[in-house]
């Protein structure tokens, strides 16, 4: 019985305290003066930096649509876009809305990119595991996703995929392999 009284007192105390706040309430919205906003949160630059600014742009990434073809989808990335930042968005896969309409990704969920750079118009993506471990059709679509996404970031002279620094032979839709591939090799995968 004593435990019930203690439990009841604690419950009553919790109910009474739940109505208390440290922030005073008002019936209507209150305009906060610009000078009263602390930490420079209304400034044009990032607080605590030497005029640091971040601007964002939309950048296409290629995912697999409901028909099994590649289709572009917009993602928001810091400007100017880098191959690494855009591929990070690609690896996240389709959004919830895209997934509900049948969009998927052929890239493995546990794909780890060690490095992604562009040199002289050629994209270099260094992975921890080869894409050749995927089923053939999924491997071709995964490479296509990387090729088209990299091309739109600036890899206009092709793409090479490395595993732990070693260049890989990439499977083409026609069954052949090549070390450097371009969007021309995977055009048949696009949703026309």
């Amino acid at each position: 019985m004593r435990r019930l009284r203690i439990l009841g007192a604690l419950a009553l105390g919790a109910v009474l305290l739940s109505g208390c706040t440290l922030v005073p309430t008002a019936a209507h919205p209150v305009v906060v003066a610009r000078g009263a906003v602390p930490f420079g949160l209304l400034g044009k630059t990032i607080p605590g930096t030497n005029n640091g600014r971040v601007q964002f742009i939309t950048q296409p990434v290629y995912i697999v649509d409901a028909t099994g073809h590649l289709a572009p989808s917009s993602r928001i990335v810091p400007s100017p876009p880098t191959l690494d930042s855009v591929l990070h968005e690609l690896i996240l896969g389709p959004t919830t809305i895209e997934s509900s309409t049948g969009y998927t990704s052929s890239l493995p969920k546990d794909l780890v990119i060690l490095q992604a750079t562009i040199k002289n118009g050629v994209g270099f993506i260094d992975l921890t595991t080869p894409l050749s471990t995927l089923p053939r059709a999924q491997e071709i679509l995964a490479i296509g996703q990387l090729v088209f996404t990299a091309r739109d970031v600036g890899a206009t002279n092709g793409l090479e995929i490395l595993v732990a620094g070693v260049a890989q032979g990439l499977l083409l839709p026609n069954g052949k392999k090549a070390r450097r591939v371009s969007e021309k090799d995977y055009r048949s995968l696009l949703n026309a």
Side-chain angles (χ1 to χ4, degrees), residues 20-24:
C20 299
T21 67
L22 297 175
V23 179

Side-chain angles (χ1 to χ4, degrees), residues 28-44:
H28 303 285
V30 177
V31 176
V32 178
R34 188 169 183 79
V37 178
F39 310 119
L41 295 176
L42 295 179
K44 293 182 179 182

Side-chain angles (χ1 to χ4, degrees), residues 122 124 157-160 168 170 172 178-182 185:
V122 178
F124 296 92
N157 293 331
L159 177 74
E160 291 187 24
Q168 302 294 298
L170 303 175
L172 300 169
R179 279 195 165 177
R180 183 177 294 177
V181 294
S182 70
D185 299 319

Side-chain angles (χ1 to χ4, degrees), residues 29-180:
V30 177
V31 176
V32 178
R34 188 169 183 79
V37 178
F39 310 119
L41 295 176
L42 295 179
K44 293 182 179 182
T45 61
I46 300 170
T49 65
N50 292 331
N51 297 320
R53 297 173 188 239
V54 177
Q55 295 179 349
F56 295 94
I57 62 167
T58 58
Q59 184 72 29
V61 298
Y62 285 78
I63 56 178
V64 182
D65 67 11
T67 66
H69 292 89
L70 299 180
S73 181
S74 293
R75 297 295 186 267
I76 297 173
V77 296
S79 177
T82 62
L83 184 56
D84 190 47
S85 67
V86 175
L87 289 178
H88 175 72
E89 292 298 318
L90 175 64
I91 289 173
L92 292 177
T95 64
T96 305
I97 293 172
E98 291 167 341
S99 294
S100 68
T101 58
Y103 283 76
T104 60
S105 177
S106 288
L107 294 168
K109 293 281 185 203
D110 59 350
L111 183 67
V112 176
I113 297 176
L114 297 174
Q115 186 176 14
T117 58
I118 298 175
K119 294 177 186 165
N120 299 321
V122 178
F124 296 92
I125 302 173
D126 198 353
L127 306 174
T128 56
T129 56
L131 294 174
S132 59
T133 59
L134 300 172
R136 186 175 191 274
Q138 186 180 353
E139 178 185 356
I140 292 170
L141 282 170
I143 295 168
Q145 285 182 266
L146 295 170
V147 166
F148 285 107
T149 300
R151 182 215 46 203
D152 287 350
V153 179
T156 54
N157 293 331
L159 177 74
E160 291 187 24
I161 296 179
L162 304 99
V163 174
V166 178
Q168 302 294 298
L170 303 175
L171 188 59
L172 300 169
N174 63 12
K176 296 180 181 178
K177 286 194 173 193
R179 279 195 165 177
R180 183 177 294 177

